[in-house]
């Protein structure tokens, strides 16, 4: 585990009207919480999209023809870097605003809390966490619970 504050650059792009969407400062806070104690320096981009773009990205990159809540695109570091050289580029997150809003309504969650959860979830994917099997899923979900609790957000996996 690393110690001290994270040097963080989060670029947030809104590909749809920003009304009702979290501000970039909120996304930065959520990413910072997910990275705290895990990485010292990170650059990443977050893009909020509509259902059309979310569906197109999910179809292109995952072969699934529907808009999903969050997509994570970890950075592939170029080969041939000198030993010990680390680039702070972590990757990109894409959040589909209509899907996030629909899920929050259906699950009875505050919209900001659902955005926080999906941002933390996506950021953990950028760090290499996965939920491919039950053991991995439980470990990742527990870490998400701990990070979100530190932000004052209820357990996102608790049935409401």
């Amino acid at each position: 585990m690393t110690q001290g504050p994270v040097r963080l650059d989060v670029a947030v792009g809104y590909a749809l009207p920003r009304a009702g969407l979290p501000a970039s400062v909120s996304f930065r806070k959520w990413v910072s919480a997910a990275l705290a104690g895990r990485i010292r320096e990170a650059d990443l981009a977050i893009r909020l999209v509509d259902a059309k773009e979310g569906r197109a990205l999910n179809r292109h990159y995952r072969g699934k023809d529907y808009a999903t809540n969050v997509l994570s695109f970890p950075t592939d570091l170029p080969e041939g870097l000198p030993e010990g050289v680390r680039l702070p580029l972590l990757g990109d997150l894409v959040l589909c605003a209509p899907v996030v809003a629909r899920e929050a309504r259906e699950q009875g969650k505050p919209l900001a809390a659902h955005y926080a959860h999906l941002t933390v979830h996506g950021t953990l994917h950028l760090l290499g966490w996965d939920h491919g099997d039950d053991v991995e899923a439980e470990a990742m979900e527990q870490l998400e619970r701990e990070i979100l609790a530190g932000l004052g957000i209820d357990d996102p996996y608790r049935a409401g």
Side-chain angles (χ1 to χ4, degrees):
M1 291 282 178
T2 61
Q3 299 300 317
V6 176
R7 195 223 38 92
L8 183 59
D9 183 11
V10 178
V12 180
Y14 296 85
L16 67 169
R18 292 177 64 167
L21 299 177
S24 59
V25 67
S26 294
F27 288 105
R28 187 182 196 297
K29 178 174 81 171
W30 300 329
V31 169
S32 182
L35 297 177
R38 292 169 188 83
I39 194 169
R40 289 186 188 276
E41 186 174 8
D43 294 348
L44 68 138
I46 298 174
R47 180 172 171 86
L48 285 91
V49 300
D50 61 17
K52 181 179 177 183
E53 185 173 347
R55 180 179 179 181
L57 289 168
N58 201 26
R59 182 175 51 242
H60 180 78
Y61 289 102
R62 297 180 63 226
K64 299 185 179 192
D65 193 22
Y66 58 87
T68 190
N69 51 21
V70 62
L71 293 167
S72 301
F73 299 97
T75 298
D76 287 329
L77 294 178
E79 291 187 27
L81 288 175
E83 190 173 326
V85 170
R86 302 275 184 255
L87 296 179
L89 189 57
L90 196 56
D92 300 326
L93 297 179
V94 176
L95 291 147
C96 185
V99 173
V100 176
R102 177 180 47 79
E103 289 176 346
R105 277 191 313 275
E106 290 173 356
Q107 297 170 20
K109 297 177 182 175
L111 184 59
H114 197 43
Y115 268 108
H117 174 220
L118 293 173
T119 301
V120 167
H121 181 87
T123 301
L124 292 176
H125 275 308
L126 295 179
L127 291 174
W129 284 83
D130 201 2
H131 43 79
D133 63 38
D134 289 345
V135 173
E136 289 178 344
E138 181 53 40
M140 187 172 178
E141 290 171 10
Q142 184 56 37
L143 182 55
E144 291 170 18
R145 287 181 189 99
E146 292 168 9
I147 293 166
L148 293 168
L151 292 165
I153 297 172
D154 289 337
D155 178 353
Y157 295 104
R158 188 180 70 230

